[in-house]
Amino acid sequence: MWLIGFESAFHHLLSVMKITTPKAIAIALLAGPIASLQAQALLVVPGTHATIQAAINASVNGDTVLVLPGAYVENLDVGGKDITIQSAGGALQTTIDGSAVSGPTVLFPAGSTRAAIFEGFTVRGGNHTGSSSYGGGIRVTSSSPTIRDCVVTDNISDSYGGGIGVTGNPAGPLFERCTVVGNHASGLGYASGGGIAINSATPGAVGTEIRHCTFDGNDAATRGGGIYLAYSPGCIIDSCRVMRNETLGSSGFLNGGAGIFLALGSATQVSNCRIWNNISNSDGGGVKWFNVTAAAFVNNTIVDNVGGGAAGYANGGAFGSNVVADLVNCIIWQNGGGAEFSFNGLDQGGLPPDAVVNHCVVTGGYTGTANLNVAPQLLGVGSGNHHLDPGSPCIDAGNSVLLPLPTVDIDGQPRVISGSPDIGADEFDPSATLLYSDVATISVSSPGPVIYSVTNGPANSLYGVFFSISGTQPGTALFGKIAPLNVDALTTIFALVATTDGVGDGSVVLPALAMPPAFIGVTLSSAALVLGPTIDFSNDENVLIVP
């Protein structure tokens, strides 16, 4: 049952968003996280400078540009500086719109290192045209900034990276806790990387890292609806959600890889990722590799994609030798519209591409060590909740030595908890209360109810669910614990769960509520609070707000 006043609390949130003043937010933040920033100078927009670009122009390395909530119609050039550009109110309240002129909304040209930080913005409206149009929303060229807690949405590139494009030498940016949703790489026939394209980005000290990011509802004309990498060795993709992306081309072996496409020497480790509901009109609905040696997929969950789970293609061109990918501790299950694995072409030595698959769950089975052909028993495949059910055959069925094992799972829990590692992105904790929803997204245009279910909880306890709305990933101190809720949440709403048995199984319904378009790309994060002999929290459950 819902606590009285849930809907009024939600609508109060909307009114707060409209009446909160930048001055009030700045005062609050100066007493909090901003006070910890070690900067040579603090430049405030609007305040000391009228525009974000003016503040960037006036800054020197080590300075902080603090941007108050609002919509800024600008196209930014960071100028190769190592500065911090940070919003005071988070991505939900601070938008940079580049639609006034053609080109990327935000440009990082050569020179910036990981010390350059861009944090807490919605980046939209970029329209980058031409044959070298890397990055519609954000372009990184021979630069290595840190970009975190951003929403990148509604951007277009003619060639590579509808949302984000990375290119140049050296380039090793870090993307953390970003949501890349509804971007398009579609102008030219070879357009690739609807969400992000990393192309000819040779790493310096480190390669490009993508951690705890979401790629949802992006599309590309040919390859990599969500993520595309080419000529870019040393990349890491970890603990990401890659869902509902699409590749539009319907023929040719260089099409496909709707979730992730790795090409031409991009030796990459993909770990702890959930890759689902992507659509390839060719093959490789989940992932695809082309002329790549030693791509490694470790502890991923690849399910319910269209066009098959994984595909490889080889030819006699560059890097076309020993084209193989290693998959360990992965779930590749019920990917329709094609075989779970498909291979085409011959490399320089006349050999077909291949996959080495061990300790995986594969529909129909697969040759290798300890592979299983049994249902993985996930909590909510349709909702995108890929936590393991307590009875899952994936528990303790993985391997810890064939490839480097992630030290934590997608939730940040230790891997391994007991015995051997589990198969898939989740490491099952037998003592944890589990929370899952029946859907993965809520539509702004046609919202519907969402059912949240609690299971595996301790007997004779009281359960409640906290809901918070924000643009970033969770982690907040509450009741002496680290609750999996968003740190910069605008509000938190609490609802009691009606349990159906003494073990703590039960559910609660989030009613259909109208939300403004500003919420698109934002996450509704939730966690179950357990009030029993001790206070504890479940996993976090994240439902993305989409058009």
Side-chain angles (χ1 to χ4, degrees):
M1 59 182 176
W2 283 100
L3 290 186
I4 296 173
F6 171 80
E7 293 195 50
S8 62
F10 185 89
H11 290 294
H12 174 67
L13 163 65
L14 303 185
S15 65
V16 168
M17 287 179 63
K18 295 175 183 176
I19 66 174
T20 300
T21 66
K23 185 175 181 181
I25 290 179
I27 292 171
L29 285 172
L30 287 171
I34 299 301
S36 65
L37 293 173
Q38 301 298 313
Q40 293 178 349
L42 179 65
L43 297 80
V44 181
V45 181
T48 59
H49 295 80
T51 66
I52 303 172
Q53 188 62 57
I56 292 171
N57 293 344
S59 69
V60 297
N61 288 349
D63 286 352
T64 293
V65 176
L66 177 63
V67 182
L68 302 185
Y72 298 83
V73 181
E74 298 190 49
N75 295 75
L76 305 183
D77 184 338
V78 180
K81 298 179 179 181
D82 279 346
I83 59 175
T84 295
I85 306 170
Q86 182 175 3
S87 71
L92 187 57
Q93 298 190 81
T94 317
T95 298
I96 303 172
D97 187 334
S99 60
V101 299
S102 179
T105 299
V106 180
L107 171 64
F108 284 90
S112 294
T113 70
R114 291 274 178 97
I117 298 173
F118 184 76
E119 181 174 353
F121 295 93
T122 293
V123 177
R124 66 184 310 128
N127 187 358
H128 203 179
T129 59
S131 59
S132 298
S133 53
Y134 292 92
I138 299 175
R139 174 170 177 156
V140 178
T141 303
S142 300
S143 195
S144 302
T146 298
I147 298 173
R148 64 167 66 107
D149 297 330
C150 288
V151 175
V152 181
T153 185
D154 193 24
N155 302 283
I156 301 172
S157 170
D158 271 358
S159 55
Y160 295 102
I164 302 168
V166 180
T167 187
N169 179 16
L174 169 63
F175 299 92
E176 291 183 307
R177 303 187 301 271
C178 291
T179 298
V180 183
V181 55
N183 302 282
H184 314 281
S186 59
L188 300 173
Y190 56 82
S192 305
I196 186 171
I198 304 168
N199 198 351
S200 301
T202 304
V206 292
T208 299
E209 297 178 64
I210 306 172
R211 298 184 181 274
H212 297 282
C213 292
T214 296
F215 295 85
D216 176 77
N218 307 285
D219 60 63
T222 55
R223 301 175 284 276
I227 300 172
Y228 172 80
L229 291 88
Y231 300 106
S232 304
C235 295
I236 294 174
I237 304 171
D238 181 70
S239 299
C240 291
R241 298 188 301 169
V242 183
M243 62 185 191
R244 303 197 318 160
N245 304 286
E246 185 172 1
T247 51
L248 305 175
S250 59
S251 62
F253 297 130
L254 286 176
N255 291 339
I260 300 174
F261 190 104
L262 309 179
L264 299 165
S266 293
T268 299
Q269 175 153 321
V270 181
S271 57
N272 285 339
C273 289
R274 294 181 288 165
I275 304 167
W276 83 101
N277 280 4
N278 302 285
I279 299 174
S280 168
N281 291 298
S282 176
D283 58 2
V287 299
K288 187 170 182 175
W289 54 94
F290 159 57
N291 283 13
V292 173
T293 298
F297 296 86
V298 188
N299 283 102
N300 299 289
T301 300
I302 305 171
V303 296
D304 280 355
N305 300 285
V306 174
Y313 173 59
N315 67 19
F319 305 99
S321 177
N322 191 27
V323 178
V324 64
D326 289 300
L327 291 90
V328 173
N329 302 345
C330 291
I331 298 171
I332 307 102
W333 193 256
Q334 290 188 342
N335 297 283
E340 292 290 10
F341 288 89
S342 62
F343 303 103
N344 292 283
L346 299 174
D347 69 9
Q348 295 169 352
L351 298 174
D354 198 5
V356 178
V357 181
N358 295 298
H359 293 268
C360 291
V361 172
V362 183
T363 307
Y366 199 84
T367 301
T369 301
N371 292 322
L372 302 175
N373 178 20
V374 291
Q377 295 186 34
L378 307 176
L379 282 181
V381 174
S383 72
N385 187 314
H386 300 123
H387 289 91
L388 301 178
D389 183 88
S392 171
C394 299
I395 297 171
D396 291 340
N399 179 277
S400 60
V401 298
L402 291 175
L403 287 173
L405 192 71
T407 57
V408 297
D409 72 354
I410 195 169
D411 298 318
Q413 293 179 324
R415 188 187 297 276
V416 181
I417 289 178
S418 64
S420 299
D422 297 343
I423 295 174
D426 175 46
E427 188 79 6
F428 178 74
D429 182 353
S431 66
T433 300
L434 302 173
L435 175 70
Y436 61 100
S437 67
D438 67 330
V439 296
T441 59
I442 299 175
S443 169
V444 166
S445 58
S446 56
V450 184
I451 301 173
Y452 288 85
S453 298
V454 172
T455 190
N456 203 50
N460 303 314
S461 296
L462 179 66
Y463 297 88
V465 179
F466 281 96
F467 297 89
S468 63
I469 298 173
S470 177
T472 62
Q473 294 292 314
T476 301
L478 194 64
F479 299 119
K481 298 276 187 175
I482 299 299
L485 296 171
N486 292 327
V487 220
D488 60 348
L490 292 177
T491 191
T492 297
I493 303 164
F494 179 74
L496 289 176
V497 171
T499 57
T500 57
D501 58 39
V503 182
D505 295 335
S507 62
V508 65
V509 178
L510 173 71
L513 294 171
M515 290 170 284
F519 277 32
I520 292 172
V522 170
T523 295
L524 177 62
S525 183
S526 58
L529 170 67
V530 182
L531 295 171
T534 60
I535 294 176
D536 205 354
F537 288 94
S538 72
N539 59 284
D540 65 298
E541 174 67 310
N542 295 303
V543 178
L544 190 67
I545 300 172
V546 298

